[in-house]
Amino acid sequence: MIRDEVPGPLQSVEESSLSFPAGATKAEKTRLRLEAIEHSGRLVIGRGPRGSHITRVVLSVMLGLLGLLVLVLGAEGFVALAGFVFFGVFSFVVPIVITKRYGQDHRLELTPDRFELIRIEKDVEATVEESWANVTRVTTVSSGHQPASPQFPVVDVFSSTGARSGFSLFSGDPHGARIVFNQQLEVGRWELYELLDAAHQRFRPQDEGATGDQH
């Protein structure tokens, strides 16, 4: 379910943070987060640190400079064209996209009944909301076609049409049955995957479990 509305008060940093013992493993953090969901009724996971977006912008510009270097060295023909495109895309287009996405405030809220993925942009709150009963499985998807491309957590949910089209808060079909968590959150991608998978296993209705395991 998706809704657009004027946002209410945002969660404070204290509400979105948990204290973990020194040296806690991912499994221990997942267990503590699940306990927080059960005891408090909700766990809020906020946006990732500012440094992550700055680092990606710097790395993109550095890649773009490689294309400029090709032009400076006097490349001609197809190589020169490729260098020009490389320079333009990684020096301007990608940094703009990264900066625009970072300008969107977003958070993930987990409860024993459902999860909500929320984006706030220009004073409008867009929420993707799904019940654990509607989740069929939790998996990952690659952001590119290369083996080294980042993997992002994905939640597959029931669709009235039976289709499995892509959806994220940044792009995709809002009526699809696949939700991609490609936002930079304060919980890393693999920790988030394990948390979503564990929450699905714990909170989904037991009489729906057999359906959720068939894939």
Side-chain angles (χ1 to χ4, degrees):
M1 180 173 67
I2 301 172
R3 64 177 186 268
D4 293 335
E5 59 186 27
V6 176
L10 295 181
Q11 301 299 311
S12 66
V13 174
E14 289 75 17
E15 289 178 285
S16 65
S17 301
L18 289 175
S19 297
F20 299 108
T25 64
K26 287 193 295 184
E28 291 171 335
K29 291 180 180 179
T30 295
R31 177 180 58 80
L32 291 173
R33 290 185 175 113
L34 290 177
E35 291 176 355
I37 295 172
E38 290 184 327
H39 296 159
S40 302
R42 180 173 64 171
L43 174 68
V44 181
I45 300 175
R47 186 173 61 178
R50 180 179 298 273
S52 61
H53 121 274
I54 295 176
T55 300
R56 286 182 293 144
V57 169
V58 171
L59 291 176
S60 178
V61 172
M62 291 177 64
L63 286 174
L65 291 178
L66 292 178
L68 179 61
L69 179 62
V70 170
L71 298 176
V72 171
L73 293 177
E76 298 179 353
F78 177 79
V79 175
L81 177 61
F84 177 78
V85 172
F86 204 80
F87 172 68
V89 169
F90 286 96
S91 294
F92 299 100
V93 177
V94 173
I96 290 174
V97 171
I98 293 174
T99 302
K100 181 180 178 181
R101 287 186 174 183
Y102 190 81
Q104 302 166 340
D105 193 7
H106 51 266
R107 67 186 186 274
L108 171 65
E109 298 187 8
L110 304 176
T111 73
D113 298 319
R114 64 185 66 249
F115 67 84
E116 296 183 38
L117 189 57
I118 302 165
R119 180 191 67 192
I120 301 174
E121 184 178 18
K122 297 180 180 179
D123 297 327
V124 176
E125 181 175 293
T127 300
V128 179
E129 180 181 298
E130 284 294 345
S131 166
W132 295 115
N134 291 336
V135 176
T136 58
R137 67 173 180 172
V138 179
T139 182
T140 60
V141 66
S142 173
S143 63
H145 300 290
Q146 301 299 323
S149 297
Q151 297 283 327
F152 292 100
V154 172
V155 172
D156 288 336
V157 299
F158 291 119
S159 171
S160 58
T161 63
R164 288 196 178 278
S165 53
F167 177 76
S168 75
L169 282 181
F170 297 136
S171 62
D173 178 6
H175 303 292
R178 171 161 289 187
I179 300 172
V180 182
F181 291 79
N182 62 350
Q183 294 82 357
Q184 293 294 320
L185 296 168
E186 61 184 344
V187 175
R189 291 194 304 269
W190 289 109
E191 279 190 49
L192 181 59
Y193 163 75
E194 293 183 4
L195 175 60
L196 290 170
D197 189 42
H200 174 223
Q201 298 299 324
R202 177 173 297 195
F203 298 127
R204 68 182 180 185
Q206 294 302 311
D207 57 347
E208 306 241 359
T211 302
D213 285 336
Q214 293 176 0
H215 58 274

